[in-house]
Amino acid sequence: MPHQVTSFTQAESRSGAAQDDTSKTAPLNYETALLECASGSQSAVGKIYAREKDQLRAVAHRIVHDRSRAEDVIHEAFAQILRDAKNFDPARGSARGWIYAIVHNTALKMRENARRELALEDDTLNAICEREQTVPNPASCVPDSMTLRTMLDQLEPKHRASLLLAIIDGCTHQEIAEYLGVPVGTVKAWIRRELMAMRRQLE
């Protein structure tokens, strides 16, 4: 995780520890907070995060329909907020609206990326299945099956497990990540990379 993303959550935790229920409901000047973010203030972005994280997480979840991915949206969006706060123009809209727009757009991009990843996985699996189904002589399927088995045997154990859990058991990325004890993004990368490699070898 990028250092700046980690730091804003840490800043929020430190400030949150010192706040009571009354101070959490105190007004926050979002324009001022963004100006402070533009100067690199971690505490300012932490204040925004503390105030809006639940609502923004709900916005992200409605779009990506996945809790883990919604968390990724929030982290990416706040990294962008910290990076692009200097570009905020109050003449074009409210500071709070600008923040929500970034989260909304980040969620849409992540949803589209997830769809592309799934489409790539489906295309690759279909290509592998079609290769086996279009062989006229059943006996000639043996070399292909042996090739697939050899390719799987050459993979790292966790890479092989992620593929088999996804293809054979139909597990989701989240389920595989929990089973293997690795981040969801890592599972996605493993599956995508190995499927692409297998497809190239079978072409």
Side-chain angles (χ1 to χ4, degrees):
M1 183 181 297
H3 174 71
Q4 63 182 6
V5 177
T6 304
S7 59
F8 82 71
T9 56
Q10 291 173 340
E12 185 273 331
S13 298
R14 288 193 298 268
S15 63
Q19 290 179 329
D20 57 21
D21 292 338
T22 302
S23 61
K24 288 180 181 178
T25 58
L28 174 64
N29 188 314
Y30 291 89
E31 288 191 16
T32 299
L34 285 181
L35 286 173
E36 293 175 1
C37 288
S39 66
S41 171
Q42 298 291 342
S43 61
V45 77
K47 290 176 184 177
I48 297 172
Y49 179 81
R51 178 62 59 88
E52 299 292 340
K53 61 182 179 180
D54 293 335
Q55 294 93 322
L56 291 173
R57 190 178 290 115
V59 169
H61 189 269
R62 283 198 297 270
I63 296 172
V64 299
H65 305 293
D66 180 271
R67 288 184 179 180
S68 177
R69 195 171 290 129
E71 290 293 339
D72 291 341
V73 168
I74 296 303
H75 284 296
E76 288 191 22
F78 269 87
Q80 182 180 345
I81 289 168
L82 186 60
R83 183 176 64 250
D84 295 344
K86 61 183 180 294
N87 298 325
F88 168 67
D89 182 1
R92 301 181 62 181
S94 71
R96 190 166 183 263
W98 184 82
I99 292 166
Y100 272 76
I102 286 180
V103 171
H104 185 268
N105 291 336
T106 302
L108 290 176
K109 290 177 183 177
M110 189 165 291
R111 183 179 68 183
E112 185 59 31
N113 289 339
R115 286 176 176 173
R116 283 198 294 267
E117 288 176 3
L118 288 174
L120 175 63
E121 290 177 15
D122 290 342
D123 289 346
T124 303
L125 290 174
N126 288 337
I128 293 173
C129 293
E130 288 173 4
R131 181 183 175 88
E132 293 185 341
Q133 294 171 358
T134 55
V135 178
N137 181 1
S140 64
C141 291
V142 176
D144 277 350
S145 297
M146 292 178 64
T147 300
L148 288 172
R149 180 59 181 269
T150 299
M151 286 190 291
L152 286 171
D153 288 343
Q154 291 174 346
L155 300 179
E156 293 289 335
K158 286 191 175 183
H159 293 205
R160 180 170 60 250
S162 65
L163 275 178
L164 294 176
L165 287 169
I167 298 170
I168 305 301
D169 295 339
C171 295
T172 65
H173 291 144
Q174 181 65 40
E175 291 169 339
I176 297 170
E178 292 175 357
Y179 180 78
L180 297 178
V182 297
V184 175
T186 299
V187 169
K188 294 177 184 177
W190 286 347
I191 292 176
R192 184 173 185 270
R193 182 169 61 247
E194 301 303 351
L195 284 176
M196 290 179 66
M198 292 174 69
R199 184 173 186 176
R200 284 195 297 269
Q201 292 182 55
L202 290 173
E203 288 177 348

